[in-house]
């Protein structure tokens, strides 16, 4: 991604270090709607609101740090994906991005299906009433117990990820007197990275069965021989935070080629393909994600074209967006604690959370934006690094961002686009208490995942 070093900031241009940031926005009070949930705005007093509720009030009621999730936005995004793909395709929300019982109910109401990848996610889905046939079960090392539960529950599909698992699922289904619908996850030889895709040493990873060397074709042969399995299709997931569909194009081409080989060898046309998730969202103003309609159109065209070329009936397509649905719908609200200006470098702004509620910056060098939300400011921009309270110098929430130079302890700042892979990857490092998730809609806020308490910590500590 192209970023300018040495932006001409109006106040600090002489002291700005080399860095990975764009020039400060002309007005730090303006919220870029690209990165904020749909109902977020500033009221006449300059306080940011979500679902009509002021963040100052929300902080008083629910404390900080906390994730606030815009339910209307979440539902709208579900509908946008469902509408974009239409009735001839299936959208599976990837629960790993963020899953709770409330989320499962919203998905169910909005007509989406659900991808789970562990016994815990399966339990949450079933407990909240997701019909088993609308659940896909994933994972590269499902335990026998997880397979038992998935087959017993009657999940709509198990996406098998290894030769061993094909046999395990088949035997489990036979033992339980049923046939399990199965997709085989293949590695197509495309690896997508943030903002680009590369086609290099992609088979060198733990997921899927490689197309290369005929392994996937052999997996299909074995699956077709086993009575406990109904092989319904091929699955491919190429990566995450992808903005461009060219990686999917290569993947679809290779998956369809496999479908053609299966037809030629076995005389059957598998009815489904799943192209996985991975569609990117805007974390900063520099990101330009594509709309679900655009993506659906592109994927449908690619698959239809490839199938026509291979003289195959077009299979039913499914996709598994996680981040693209939940990511933009939430922000994390923090209170500013200490502020340390380091001359010639940047100002360190410490908040009351950190890598325990957002590990993505430390783990992936992820970029985020941040804004002062409890008030507006007319002060000039200061180059800030928002850091947490953990005992680790890599405990960074936002690496480089501009905040008003009059920022003070007690101000509330918020980091947008934290709906995906933040609460779901949160930890108890330093015995931090994982923050709550509060759903906000039409002037009402309700906790859907409560804040952890010290009692919770001690309950697990049984020594
Ligand atoms: N389907 C499969 C088989 C997946 O493995 C994943 C993500 C998804 C769907 C959903 O991908 P999404 O649309 O959310 O990008 N923790 C990382 C992301 C890991 C994604 C793992 N698999 C992050 O924070 O960026």
């Amino acid at each position: 991604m192209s970023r300018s070093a040495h932006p001409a900031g109006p106040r600090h241009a002489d002291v700005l270090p080399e860095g990975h940031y764009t020039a400060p926005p002309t007005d730090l009070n303006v919220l870029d709607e690209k990165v904020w949930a749909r109902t977020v705005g500033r009221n006449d007093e300059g306080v940011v609101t979500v679902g009509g509720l002021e963040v100052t009030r929300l902080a008083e009621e629910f404390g900080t740090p906390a994730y606030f999730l815009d339910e209307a936005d979440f539902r709208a995004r579900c509908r946008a994906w469902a509408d974009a793909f239409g009735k001839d395709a299936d959208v599976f929300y990837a629960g790993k991005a963020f899953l709770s019982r409330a989320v499962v109910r919203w998905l169910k109401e909005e007509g989406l299906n659900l991808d789970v990848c562990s016994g815990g996610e399966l339990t949450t889905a079933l407990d909240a009433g997701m019909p088993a046939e609308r659940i896909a079960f994933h994972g590269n090392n499902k335990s026998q117990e997880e397979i038992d539960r998935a087959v017993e529950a009657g999940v709509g599909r198990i996406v098998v990820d290894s030769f061993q698992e094909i046999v395990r699922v088949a035997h489990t289904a036979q033992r339980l007197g049923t046939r399990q619908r199965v997709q085989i996850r293949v590695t197509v030889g495309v690896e997508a990275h943030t903002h680009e895709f590369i086609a290099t040493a992609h088979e060198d990873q733990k997921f899927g069965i490689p197309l290369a060397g005929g392994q996937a074709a052999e997996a299909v042969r074995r699956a077709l021989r086993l009575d406990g399995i109904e092989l319904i299709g091929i699955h491919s997931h190429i990566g995450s935070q992808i903005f461009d569909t060219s990686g999917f194009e290569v993947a679809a081409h290779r998956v369809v080629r496999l479908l053609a080989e299966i037809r030629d060898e076995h005389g059957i046309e598998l009815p489904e393909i799943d192209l996985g998730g991975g569609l990117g969202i805007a974390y900063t103003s520099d990101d330009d994600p594509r709309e679900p309609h655009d993506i659906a159109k592109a994927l449908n065209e690619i698959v239809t074209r490839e199938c026509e070329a291979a003289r195959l009936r077009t299979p039913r397509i499914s996709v598994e967006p996680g981040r693209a649905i939940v990511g933009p719908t939430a922000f994390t609200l923090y209170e500013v604690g200490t502020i340390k200006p380091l001359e010639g470098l940047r100002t360190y702004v410490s908040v009351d959370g950190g890598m325990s509620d957002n590990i993505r910056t430390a783990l992936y060098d992820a970029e985020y934006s941040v804004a002062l939300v409890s008030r507006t400011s007319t002060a000039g921009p200061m180059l800030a690094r928002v850091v947490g309270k953990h005992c680790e110098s890599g405990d960074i929430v936002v690496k480089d961002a501009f905040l008003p130079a009059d920022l003070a302890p007690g101000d509330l700042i918020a980091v947008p686009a934290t709906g995906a892979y933040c609460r779901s990857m949160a930890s108890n490092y330093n015995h931090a208490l994982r923050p709550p998730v509060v759903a906000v809609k039409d002037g009402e806020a309700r906790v859907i995942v409560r804040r952890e308490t010290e009692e919770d910590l001690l309950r697990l500590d049984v020594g």
Side-chain angles (χ1 to χ4, degrees):
M1 174 195 294
S2 68
R3 289 286 179 121
S4 58
H6 291 306
R11 281 183 74 244
H12 297 277
D14 51 333
V15 293
L16 285 173
E18 280 284 338
H20 201 231
Y21 45 83
T22 48
T26 40
D27 184 350
L28 286 173
N29 299 312
V30 174
L31 301 172
D32 182 352
E33 60 185 33
K34 246 206 270 185
V35 297
W36 293 89
R38 269 171 225 205
T39 72
V40 170
R42 260 188 215 276
N43 68 13
D44 294 343
E45 284 76 54
V47 178
V48 168
T49 62
V50 54
L53 297 174
E54 297 178 340
V55 291
T56 40
R57 246 189 68 192
L58 292 170
E60 262 167 44
E61 187 171 347
F62 301 103
T64 56
Y67 307 98
F68 291 95
L69 196 161
D70 183 342
E71 180 183 337
D73 193 7
F74 185 97
R75 288 178 180 271
R77 285 175 196 277
C78 289
R79 283 195 294 274
W81 277 88
D83 290 350
F85 279 86
K87 60 176 182 16
D88 297 327
D90 299 301
V91 180
F92 285 76
Y93 168 76
K96 65 206 82 182
F98 172 65
L99 197 65
S100 76
R101 287 192 274 215
V103 162
V104 174
R105 285 192 294 269
W106 302 339
L107 294 167
K108 188 177 156 196
E109 286 163 17
E110 301 301 343
L112 263 64
N113 307 288
L114 176 60
D115 139 14
V116 299
C117 66
S118 70
E121 288 184 0
L122 179 63
T123 298
T124 305
L126 293 172
D127 186 76
M130 181 57 85
E133 62 273 16
R134 283 167 60 182
I135 298 175
F137 195 72
H138 272 275
N140 68 301
N141 187 21
K142 303 170 188 79
S143 69
Q144 183 59 51
E145 197 256 333
E146 286 174 322
I147 295 172
D148 283 352
R149 279 164 60 197
V151 175
E152 258 162 14
V155 298
R157 65 171 75 147
I158 293 182
V159 181
V160 294
D161 198 273
S162 65
F163 283 92
Q164 291 86 355
E165 206 172 82
I166 292 172
V167 176
R168 277 184 206 143
V169 171
H171 286 174
T172 307
Q174 268 188 316
R175 173 163 47 80
L176 295 170
T178 180
R179 272 188 106 202
Q180 178 60 50
R181 287 160 56 89
V182 155
Q183 289 188 343
I184 295 177
R185 178 162 174 179
V186 301
T187 337
V188 293
V190 177
E191 189 185 342
H193 287 296
T194 307
H195 304 113
E196 65 188 45
F197 84 91
I198 51 165
T200 53
H202 31 63
E203 258 102 28
D204 190 358
Q205 50 128 330
K206 69 171 184 167
F207 290 111
I209 301 177
L211 284 175
Q215 287 203 51
E218 177 57 22
V220 169
R221 256 171 237 130
R222 293 201 197 169
L224 288 174
R225 258 187 250 133
L226 293 165
D227 286 340
I229 282 181
E230 181 189 349
L231 182 62
I232 55 167
I234 301 296
H235 183 286
S236 150
H237 171 78
I238 57 169
S240 253
Q241 186 61 0
I242 306 162
F243 287 99
D244 128 25
T245 48
S246 47
F248 290 101
E249 193 154 346
V250 180
H253 173 74
R254 295 186 185 165
V255 167
V256 170
R257 204 167 56 193
L258 177 63
L259 293 184
E261 282 168 25
I262 295 168
R263 184 231 8 235
D264 295 345
E265 183 178 340
H266 305 281
I268 52 164
E269 294 193 21
L270 295 183
E272 294 182 10
I273 64 171
D274 189 306
L275 294 172
L279 293 142
I281 63 163
Y283 285 103
T284 75
S285 301
D286 292 333
D287 296 328
D288 284 308
R290 297 180 66 176
E291 291 298 319
H293 262 287
D294 264 10
I295 295 158
K297 190 163 168 281
L299 295 187
N300 278 324
E301 278 172 11
I302 296 164
V303 174
T304 308
R305 194 181 61 224
E306 294 294 334
C307 287
E308 270 168 17
R311 297 209 176 77
L312 281 166
R313 269 194 306 273
T314 307
R316 190 173 177 87
I317 299 175
S318 52
V319 286
E320 298 170 337
R323 185 193 323 264
I325 291 179
V326 72
T329 68
F331 60 81
T332 315
L333 188 64
Y334 300 102
E335 185 178 307
V336 173
T338 58
I339 299 179
K340 280 185 202 166
L342 298 186
E343 195 54 40
L345 290 171
R346 69 195 84 244
T347 297
Y348 278 77
V349 174
S350 294
V351 294
D352 46 0
M355 64 194 300
S356 53
D357 58 70
N358 187 351
I359 190 65
R360 298 193 68 259
T361 307
L363 197 55
Y364 312 117
D365 216 9
E367 287 177 39
Y368 281 93
S369 26
V370 61
L372 169 61
V373 289
S374 47
R375 63 182 173 92
T376 52
S377 165
T378 53
M382 102 186 147
L383 181 61
R385 177 160 288 175
V386 179
V387 295
K389 58 182 290 169
H390 295 281
C391 297
E392 185 141 332
S393 52
D395 173 25
I396 297 168
V397 180
V398 186
K399 206 156 54 157
D400 291 301
F402 287 92
L403 281 165
D406 66 349
L407 193 77
D411 278 334
L412 297 176
I413 61 176
V415 175
T418 58
Y421 304 110
C422 286
R423 180 58 181 81
S424 68
M425 291 171 68
S427 77
N428 287 116
Y429 184 40
N430 297 142
H431 284 200
L433 304 171
R434 286 180 294 177
V437 181
V438 181
V440 184
K441 184 165 175 270
D442 300 332
E444 278 178 31
R446 88 192 152 92
V447 175
I448 59 170
V449 178
R450 73 159 167 80
R451 187 184 298 284
E452 256 174 350
T453 61
E454 290 188 347
E455 259 167 40
D456 291 327
L457 293 182
L458 292 177
R459 212 171 19 224
L460 294 177
D461 184 340
V462 293

